[in-house]
Short mmCIF file of all heavy atoms in Angstrom, two decimals:
data_model
loop_
_atom_site.label_atom_id
_atom_site.label_comp_id
_atom_site.label_asym_id
_atom_site.label_seq_id
_atom_site.Cartn_x
_atom_site.Cartn_y
_atom_site.Cartn_z
N ILE A 880 91.54 98.94 107.88
CA ILE A 880 90.23 98.36 108.18
C ILE A 880 89.45 99.38 109.06
O ILE A 880 89.94 99.90 110.04
CB ILE A 880 90.32 97.07 109.00
CG1 ILE A 880 91.23 96.06 108.27
CG2 ILE A 880 88.95 96.44 109.26
CD1 ILE A 880 91.53 94.84 109.11
N ASP A 881 88.26 99.74 108.58
CA ASP A 881 87.41 100.68 109.24
C ASP A 881 88.14 101.98 109.51
O ASP A 881 87.99 102.65 110.55
CB ASP A 881 86.93 100.08 110.64
CG ASP A 881 86.07 98.85 110.48
OD1 ASP A 881 85.42 98.74 109.41
OD2 ASP A 881 86.11 98.02 111.37
N GLY A 882 88.92 102.42 108.56
CA GLY A 882 89.63 103.67 108.65
C GLY A 882 90.90 103.65 109.52
O GLY A 882 91.59 104.69 109.64
N ARG A 883 91.16 102.55 110.16
CA ARG A 883 92.36 102.39 111.01
C ARG A 883 93.44 101.86 110.11
O ARG A 883 93.24 100.84 109.41
CB ARG A 883 92.02 101.51 112.20
CG ARG A 883 90.96 102.09 113.07
CD ARG A 883 90.52 101.05 114.15
NE ARG A 883 91.55 100.74 115.09
CZ ARG A 883 91.77 101.42 116.22
NH1 ARG A 883 91.03 102.46 116.54
NH2 ARG A 883 92.71 101.07 117.08
N VAL A 884 94.66 102.44 110.23
CA VAL A 884 95.74 102.06 109.37
C VAL A 884 96.88 101.46 110.20
O VAL A 884 97.46 102.20 111.04
CB VAL A 884 96.27 103.26 108.55
CG1 VAL A 884 97.36 102.86 107.59
CG2 VAL A 884 95.13 103.91 107.82
N LEU A 885 97.23 100.28 109.96
CA LEU A 885 98.41 99.66 110.56
C LEU A 885 99.53 99.70 109.48
O LEU A 885 99.40 99.16 108.35
CB LEU A 885 98.19 98.17 110.92
CG LEU A 885 99.37 97.41 111.49
CD1 LEU A 885 99.91 98.05 112.78
CD2 LEU A 885 99.06 95.96 111.73
N GLY A 886 100.55 100.47 109.74
CA GLY A 886 101.63 100.64 108.78
C GLY A 886 102.41 99.32 108.64
O GLY A 886 102.23 98.35 109.33
N ALA A 887 103.36 99.37 107.71
CA ALA A 887 104.23 98.22 107.45
C ALA A 887 105.64 98.45 108.06
O ALA A 887 106.08 99.57 108.22
CB ALA A 887 104.35 98.03 105.96
N ARG A 888 106.28 97.35 108.37
CA ARG A 888 107.66 97.35 108.71
C ARG A 888 108.30 96.19 107.95
O ARG A 888 108.03 95.01 108.18
CB ARG A 888 107.87 97.09 110.22
CG ARG A 888 109.32 97.19 110.66
CD ARG A 888 109.44 97.02 112.17
NE ARG A 888 108.86 98.13 112.89
CZ ARG A 888 109.50 99.28 113.20
NH1 ARG A 888 110.74 99.42 112.84
NH2 ARG A 888 108.91 100.21 113.86
N PHE A 889 109.05 96.53 106.88
CA PHE A 889 109.48 95.56 105.89
C PHE A 889 110.65 94.72 106.42
O PHE A 889 111.49 95.22 107.21
CB PHE A 889 109.91 96.27 104.61
CG PHE A 889 108.71 96.75 103.80
CD1 PHE A 889 108.22 98.04 104.02
CD2 PHE A 889 108.14 95.96 102.81
CE1 PHE A 889 107.13 98.49 103.29
CE2 PHE A 889 107.06 96.42 102.12
CZ PHE A 889 106.59 97.73 102.35
N ALA A 890 110.73 93.45 105.97
CA ALA A 890 111.75 92.56 106.43
C ALA A 890 113.09 92.86 105.75
O ALA A 890 114.13 92.76 106.46
CB ALA A 890 111.32 91.12 106.10
N HIS A 891 113.13 93.28 104.50
CA HIS A 891 114.32 93.44 103.79
C HIS A 891 114.68 94.92 103.71
O HIS A 891 113.83 95.81 103.42
CB HIS A 891 114.25 92.87 102.33
CG HIS A 891 114.13 91.41 102.36
ND1 HIS A 891 115.16 90.57 102.57
CD2 HIS A 891 113.00 90.60 102.08
CE1 HIS A 891 114.77 89.28 102.52
NE2 HIS A 891 113.48 89.30 102.21
N PRO A 892 115.98 95.25 103.87
CA PRO A 892 116.40 96.72 103.85
C PRO A 892 116.04 97.43 102.55
O PRO A 892 115.86 98.62 102.57
CB PRO A 892 117.90 96.63 104.16
CG PRO A 892 118.31 95.20 103.84
CD PRO A 892 117.12 94.39 104.12
N GLU A 893 116.04 96.70 101.47
CA GLU A 893 115.75 97.28 100.20
C GLU A 893 114.39 97.98 100.14
O GLU A 893 114.17 98.93 99.39
CB GLU A 893 115.86 96.27 99.04
CG GLU A 893 117.28 95.76 98.75
CD GLU A 893 117.59 94.57 99.64
OE1 GLU A 893 116.84 94.25 100.59
OE2 GLU A 893 118.53 93.87 99.31
N ARG A 894 113.43 97.50 100.92
CA ARG A 894 112.11 97.98 100.89
C ARG A 894 111.69 98.84 102.10
O ARG A 894 110.61 99.42 102.08
CB ARG A 894 111.06 96.80 100.74
CG ARG A 894 111.28 96.01 99.46
CD ARG A 894 110.03 95.16 99.19
NE ARG A 894 108.91 96.01 98.84
CZ ARG A 894 107.67 95.53 98.58
NH1 ARG A 894 107.44 94.23 98.62
NH2 ARG A 894 106.66 96.33 98.33
N ARG A 895 112.52 98.87 103.06
CA ARG A 895 112.12 99.57 104.34
C ARG A 895 111.73 101.02 104.13
O ARG A 895 110.83 101.47 104.79
CB ARG A 895 113.25 99.42 105.40
CG ARG A 895 113.30 97.98 105.94
CD ARG A 895 114.53 97.79 106.87
NE ARG A 895 114.59 96.34 107.19
CZ ARG A 895 115.70 95.79 107.62
NH1 ARG A 895 116.76 96.55 107.82
NH2 ARG A 895 115.72 94.51 107.87
N PRO A 896 112.39 101.79 103.24
CA PRO A 896 111.97 103.18 103.08
C PRO A 896 110.57 103.33 102.57
O PRO A 896 110.03 104.43 102.68
CB PRO A 896 113.02 103.72 102.09
CG PRO A 896 114.21 102.86 102.22
CD PRO A 896 113.65 101.50 102.51
N GLU A 897 109.98 102.31 101.94
CA GLU A 897 108.63 102.41 101.44
C GLU A 897 107.60 102.76 102.53
O GLU A 897 106.61 103.39 102.29
CB GLU A 897 108.18 101.08 100.78
CG GLU A 897 108.99 100.76 99.49
CD GLU A 897 108.55 99.46 98.90
OE1 GLU A 897 107.33 99.11 99.00
OE2 GLU A 897 109.39 98.73 98.33
N ALA A 898 107.88 102.19 103.76
CA ALA A 898 106.94 102.38 104.83
C ALA A 898 106.66 103.81 105.17
O ALA A 898 105.49 104.22 105.37
CB ALA A 898 107.44 101.66 106.06
N ALA A 899 107.69 104.65 105.13
CA ALA A 899 107.50 106.05 105.43
C ALA A 899 106.67 106.79 104.34
O ALA A 899 105.87 107.67 104.70
CB ALA A 899 108.86 106.76 105.62
N LEU A 900 106.82 106.39 103.12
CA LEU A 900 106.04 107.03 102.07
C LEU A 900 104.56 106.66 102.21
O LEU A 900 103.65 107.50 101.92
CB LEU A 900 106.55 106.57 100.69
CG LEU A 900 107.99 107.02 100.42
CD1 LEU A 900 108.36 106.63 98.94
CD2 LEU A 900 108.19 108.49 100.58
N HIS A 901 104.30 105.41 102.59
CA HIS A 901 102.88 105.04 102.78
C HIS A 901 102.32 105.78 104.01
O HIS A 901 101.19 106.29 103.98
CB HIS A 901 102.81 103.54 103.03
CG HIS A 901 102.79 102.78 101.80
ND1 HIS A 901 101.60 102.44 101.15
CD2 HIS A 901 103.77 102.16 101.07
CE1 HIS A 901 101.91 101.71 100.03
NE2 HIS A 901 103.20 101.54 99.98
N ARG A 902 103.09 105.90 105.06
CA ARG A 902 102.63 106.64 106.25
C ARG A 902 102.27 108.11 105.91
O ARG A 902 101.22 108.57 106.27
CB ARG A 902 103.65 106.61 107.34
CG ARG A 902 103.31 107.34 108.60
CD ARG A 902 104.42 107.23 109.67
NE ARG A 902 104.00 107.85 110.90
CZ ARG A 902 104.16 109.17 111.17
NH1 ARG A 902 104.65 109.99 110.22
NH2 ARG A 902 103.75 109.63 112.31
N GLU A 903 103.18 108.73 105.18
CA GLU A 903 102.98 110.10 104.79
C GLU A 903 101.74 110.24 103.94
O GLU A 903 100.95 111.20 104.07
CB GLU A 903 104.23 110.62 104.03
CG GLU A 903 105.45 110.81 104.92
CD GLU A 903 106.69 111.08 104.12
OE1 GLU A 903 106.58 111.27 102.88
OE2 GLU A 903 107.78 111.03 104.72
N TRP A 904 101.51 109.28 103.04
CA TRP A 904 100.34 109.35 102.17
C TRP A 904 99.06 109.25 103.01
O TRP A 904 98.14 110.04 102.78
CB TRP A 904 100.40 108.20 101.10
CG TRP A 904 99.27 108.38 100.12
CD1 TRP A 904 99.23 109.09 98.95
CD2 TRP A 904 97.89 107.87 100.26
NE1 TRP A 904 98.04 108.98 98.32
CE2 TRP A 904 97.21 108.33 99.10
CE3 TRP A 904 97.26 107.10 101.20
CZ2 TRP A 904 95.87 107.97 98.92
CZ3 TRP A 904 95.95 106.82 101.01
CH2 TRP A 904 95.27 107.19 99.88
N HIS A 905 99.01 108.30 103.90
CA HIS A 905 97.77 108.13 104.69
C HIS A 905 97.54 109.38 105.56
O HIS A 905 96.37 109.80 105.65
CB HIS A 905 97.92 106.90 105.57
CG HIS A 905 97.71 105.65 104.88
ND1 HIS A 905 96.50 105.24 104.37
CD2 HIS A 905 98.59 104.63 104.45
CE1 HIS A 905 96.56 104.08 103.80
NE2 HIS A 905 97.83 103.64 103.80
N LEU A 906 98.54 109.90 106.17
CA LEU A 906 98.34 111.04 107.05
C LEU A 906 97.89 112.27 106.19
O LEU A 906 97.16 113.10 106.68
CB LEU A 906 99.60 111.33 107.84
CG LEU A 906 99.98 110.26 108.89
CD1 LEU A 906 101.25 110.60 109.58
CD2 LEU A 906 98.87 110.04 109.90
N ARG A 907 98.50 112.41 105.06
CA ARG A 907 98.17 113.60 104.22
C ARG A 907 96.80 113.46 103.59
O ARG A 907 96.04 114.45 103.53
CB ARG A 907 99.27 113.71 103.13
CG ARG A 907 99.09 114.94 102.22
CD ARG A 907 100.22 115.04 101.21
NE ARG A 907 100.27 113.94 100.30
CZ ARG A 907 101.22 112.94 100.30
NH1 ARG A 907 102.15 112.93 101.20
NH2 ARG A 907 101.14 111.96 99.37
N SER A 908 96.44 112.29 103.18
CA SER A 908 95.20 112.14 102.40
C SER A 908 93.96 112.17 103.33
O SER A 908 92.85 112.41 102.85
CB SER A 908 95.24 110.79 101.68
OG SER A 908 95.23 109.71 102.51
N SER A 909 94.18 111.90 104.60
CA SER A 909 92.98 111.86 105.53
C SER A 909 92.38 113.26 105.66
O SER A 909 91.19 113.36 105.90
CB SER A 909 93.42 111.27 106.85
OG SER A 909 94.35 112.11 107.52
N GLY A 910 93.24 114.32 105.65
CA GLY A 910 92.68 115.66 105.86
C GLY A 910 92.49 116.00 107.32
O GLY A 910 92.34 115.13 108.18
N ALA A 911 92.49 117.25 107.61
CA ALA A 911 92.40 117.70 109.03
C ALA A 911 91.00 117.39 109.59
O ALA A 911 90.87 117.22 110.79
CB ALA A 911 92.63 119.21 109.09
N ALA A 912 89.98 117.36 108.76
CA ALA A 912 88.62 117.10 109.31
C ALA A 912 88.42 115.69 109.76
O ALA A 912 87.66 115.47 110.71
CB ALA A 912 87.60 117.43 108.21
N ALA A 913 89.16 114.77 109.19
CA ALA A 913 89.00 113.38 109.59
C ALA A 913 90.37 112.71 109.64
O ALA A 913 90.69 111.93 108.82
CB ALA A 913 88.05 112.61 108.64
N PRO A 914 91.18 113.07 110.66
CA PRO A 914 92.57 112.50 110.72
C PRO A 914 92.52 110.99 110.85
O PRO A 914 91.69 110.43 111.59
CB PRO A 914 93.14 113.13 111.98
CG PRO A 914 91.93 113.58 112.82
CD PRO A 914 90.89 113.89 111.80
N VAL A 915 93.40 110.37 110.12
CA VAL A 915 93.47 108.93 110.11
C VAL A 915 94.05 108.37 111.41
O VAL A 915 94.93 109.04 112.02
CB VAL A 915 94.30 108.38 108.89
CG1 VAL A 915 95.76 108.73 109.11
CG2 VAL A 915 94.07 106.94 108.67
N TYR A 916 93.60 107.25 111.88
CA TYR A 916 94.15 106.59 113.05
C TYR A 916 95.27 105.66 112.54
O TYR A 916 95.00 104.58 112.12
CB TYR A 916 93.08 105.87 113.81
CG TYR A 916 93.50 105.40 115.24
CD1 TYR A 916 92.61 104.77 116.01
CD2 TYR A 916 94.76 105.62 115.67
CE1 TYR A 916 92.93 104.35 117.27
CE2 TYR A 916 95.16 105.19 116.94
CZ TYR A 916 94.20 104.55 117.75
OH TYR A 916 94.58 104.10 119.01
N PHE A 917 96.47 106.12 112.65
CA PHE A 917 97.63 105.42 112.08
C PHE A 917 98.49 104.83 113.19
O PHE A 917 98.83 105.51 114.15
CB PHE A 917 98.48 106.31 111.17
CG PHE A 917 99.61 105.61 110.46
CD1 PHE A 917 99.46 105.16 109.22
CD2 PHE A 917 100.83 105.38 111.13
CE1 PHE A 917 100.53 104.52 108.60
CE2 PHE A 917 101.86 104.71 110.51
CZ PHE A 917 101.73 104.27 109.23
N ARG A 918 98.83 103.56 113.06
CA ARG A 918 99.76 102.90 114.08
C ARG A 918 101.06 102.54 113.35
O ARG A 918 101.06 101.83 112.34
CB ARG A 918 99.09 101.65 114.64
CG ARG A 918 100.07 100.94 115.65
CD ARG A 918 99.47 99.69 116.19
NE ARG A 918 100.41 98.96 117.02
CZ ARG A 918 100.62 99.12 118.38
NH1 ARG A 918 99.80 99.97 119.01
NH2 ARG A 918 101.50 98.39 118.98
N GLU A 919 102.14 103.04 113.96
CA GLU A 919 103.43 102.60 113.52
C GLU A 919 103.71 101.28 114.11
O GLU A 919 103.73 101.14 115.31
CB GLU A 919 104.52 103.65 113.97
CG GLU A 919 105.84 103.49 113.32
CD GLU A 919 105.85 103.93 111.93
OE1 GLU A 919 105.21 104.94 111.59
OE2 GLU A 919 106.58 103.30 111.10
N PRO A 920 104.01 100.25 113.35
CA PRO A 920 104.12 98.88 113.84
C PRO A 920 105.44 98.69 114.65
O PRO A 920 106.44 99.25 114.29
CB PRO A 920 104.08 97.98 112.64
CG PRO A 920 104.64 98.82 111.58
CD PRO A 920 104.14 100.25 111.83
N GLU A 921 105.36 97.87 115.64
CA GLU A 921 106.55 97.49 116.38
C GLU A 921 107.28 96.25 115.71
O GLU A 921 108.43 96.09 115.87
CB GLU A 921 106.17 97.14 117.81
CG GLU A 921 105.65 98.32 118.61
CD GLU A 921 105.29 97.99 120.07
OE1 GLU A 921 105.76 96.86 120.49
OE2 GLU A 921 104.50 98.65 120.68
N HIS A 922 106.42 95.42 115.07
CA HIS A 922 106.92 94.15 114.56
C HIS A 922 106.90 94.10 113.05
O HIS A 922 106.08 94.82 112.44
CB HIS A 922 106.18 92.99 115.20
CG HIS A 922 106.22 93.01 116.69
ND1 HIS A 922 107.35 92.77 117.40
CD2 HIS A 922 105.25 93.28 117.63
CE1 HIS A 922 107.10 92.85 118.69
NE2 HIS A 922 105.85 93.13 118.86
N VAL A 923 107.69 93.30 112.44
CA VAL A 923 107.72 93.18 111.02
C VAL A 923 106.40 92.65 110.47
O VAL A 923 105.88 91.55 110.87
CB VAL A 923 108.87 92.28 110.55
CG1 VAL A 923 108.80 92.00 109.03
CG2 VAL A 923 110.20 92.91 110.86
N ASN A 924 105.76 93.39 109.61
CA ASN A 924 104.63 92.93 108.79
C ASN A 924 104.69 93.67 107.46
O ASN A 924 105.19 94.77 107.38
CB ASN A 924 103.28 93.24 109.55
CG ASN A 924 102.77 94.66 109.30
OD1 ASN A 924 102.19 94.94 108.20
ND2 ASN A 924 102.99 95.57 110.26
#
């Protein structure tokens, strides 16, 4: 929302590695000129 990215923390272990791939995509795609504001979540969402 508004360029701010709240990452995911998956409930099931089968899906937990997906979160890192999404995080890497957001950080890579934003570019150095406009770095994304990414938050690593503390709680499962």
Side-chain angles (χ1 to χ4, degrees):
I880 306 174
D881 298 331
R883 298 168 68 87
V884 184
L885 177 62
R888 184 177 293 274
F889 288 87
H891 293 286
E893 292 89 346
R894 299 198 64 183
R895 286 174 190 160
E897 295 178 33
L900 297 185
H901 278 271
R902 179 180 184 275
E903 291 169 6
W904 186 91
H905 282 290
L906 294 178
R907 183 175 65 251
S908 67
S909 66
V915 70
Y916 192 178
F917 185 96
R918 178 183 174 92
E919 192 74 37
E921 297 180 18
H922 304 291
V923 172
N924 84 78

